[in-house]
Amino acid sequence: MGKEPDKKYKTMKKIMDALEDILCSYQGRGHQSVYVDLDSLALFTSLIAYRQIQVENYRYDYDDNIREDEKVAQIYRELAPQTRWRVGRYTQIEPIRMNALKQLSSLGMPTYQGQIYYADTGSVLVCGEILPYEIFQLFTDMPGLKKLYVFPYPFREREENPLYFSFKPTEAAREEMRKYVEKKMDEMCRIMREKSESISGIIPKVDEKDLL
């Protein structure tokens, strides 16, 4: 009887570790970890384990000379000033982002709508780090979003071509995400309300006339 829970735990832990590598692969300033929020990580892992979120991986040829691709460079120049991509220009992250744009060129022309968004296919590109809760927010706030593409840091295993990944939830999974986001928002509002009440009891009210 004890072996079944152990097997389930190992499976879930394997998925969690894989998500850490996929979603939080960029080291340096601002580096994150999926393990900072175990609740959202557990839900995301369960949805994947029970096939409520379809995950696919794609191996691609990284183009070291991507800056010479004028079509991709033009798209990047148009997007970068609108986004966080303006940070990191002329560094290693810039060609990584351009390679991501090249790989998803078949999805249509991307625009910036809070994220790099491909309206023709209802897809979002994330080239950087993103936490499970942020993924829940994306699918909750963007009804037209069908699939999320994530490009991890590509240079960890240079003996093989790098991978990128897609996440496509079922309607049932989207509903679970929505309920989770609403629950967290309710909790945040409750905490803010309680904090506000406790602070108002500690800090005395000041009459404006006393300040004159």
Side-chain angles (χ1 to χ4, degrees):
M1 292 293 291
K3 291 184 178 180
E4 191 62 31
D6 288 346
K7 182 179 179 181
K8 181 179 179 180
Y9 170 79
K10 289 179 180 178
T11 299
M12 300 294 274
K13 185 64 167 63
K14 186 176 180 180
I15 295 173
M16 289 179 179
D17 289 344
L19 289 173
E20 174 79 354
D21 291 338
I22 295 168
L23 303 181
C24 297
S25 62
Y26 291 79
Q27 301 296 318
R29 184 179 179 183
H31 175 59
Q32 304 185 90
S33 171
V34 295
Y35 287 100
V36 298
D37 183 355
L38 292 178
D39 286 345
S40 62
L41 175 59
L43 175 57
F44 197 45
T45 301
S46 295
L47 292 173
I48 292 172
Y50 291 101
R51 304 184 187 280
Q52 293 301 301
I53 295 178
Q54 180 183 356
V55 183
E56 295 185 62
N57 63 73
Y58 315 82
R59 200 167 288 281
Y60 68 101
D61 293 322
Y62 186 88
D63 185 354
D64 291 308
N65 300 310
I66 190 67
R67 286 189 175 96
E68 298 176 8
D69 188 321
E70 184 53 39
K71 183 178 180 180
V72 174
Q74 177 63 30
I75 295 173
Y76 182 82
R77 285 195 297 268
E78 292 176 0
L79 287 173
Q82 307 174 54
T83 73
R84 291 179 297 175
W85 284 11
R86 63 184 179 275
V87 178
R89 296 194 68 185
Y90 312 113
T91 66
Q92 187 188 52
I93 191 65
E94 186 173 66
I96 294 174
R97 292 164 173 166
M98 293 175 73
N99 267 276
L101 290 171
K102 180 179 180 179
Q103 292 304 312
L104 300 189
S105 59
S106 64
L107 301 184
M109 183 61 66
T111 59
Y112 182 68
Q113 298 186 23
Q115 301 288 336
I116 306 301
Y117 183 60
Y118 295 81
D120 292 347
T121 53
S123 305
V124 159
L125 161 63
V126 171
C127 189
E129 299 195 328
I130 186 169
L131 298 177
Y133 180 71
E134 294 172 316
I135 294 176
F136 297 169
Q137 287 180 308
L138 277 181
F139 281 104
T140 298
D141 296 341
M142 301 180 70
L145 177 58
K146 298 176 182 177
K147 186 178 285 191
L148 171 68
Y149 289 89
V150 178
F151 278 73
Y153 186 72
F155 301 126
R156 290 177 302 167
E157 300 177 1
R158 286 299 286 182
E159 67 273 8
E160 292 189 76
N161 289 342
L163 291 166
Y164 67 94
F165 299 81
S166 67
F167 298 85
K168 183 180 180 181
T170 63
E171 285 303 316
R174 294 182 74 111
E175 179 63 16
E176 289 300 316
M177 293 178 185
R178 183 191 63 78
K179 289 192 292 187
Y180 185 90
V181 170
E182 288 184 353
K183 175 186 173 185
K184 288 298 180 181
M185 288 298 295
D186 288 343
E187 288 179 2
M188 184 181 69
C189 290
R190 176 181 57 79
I191 292 171
M192 290 176 64
R193 187 166 55 250
E194 291 174 354
K195 291 291 185 182
S196 176
E197 291 172 355
S198 63
I199 290 174
S200 64
I202 295 172
I203 301 177
K205 293 182 179 180
V206 178
D207 194 313
E208 289 184 7
K209 292 184 293 184
D210 296 335
L211 301 176
L212 299 177

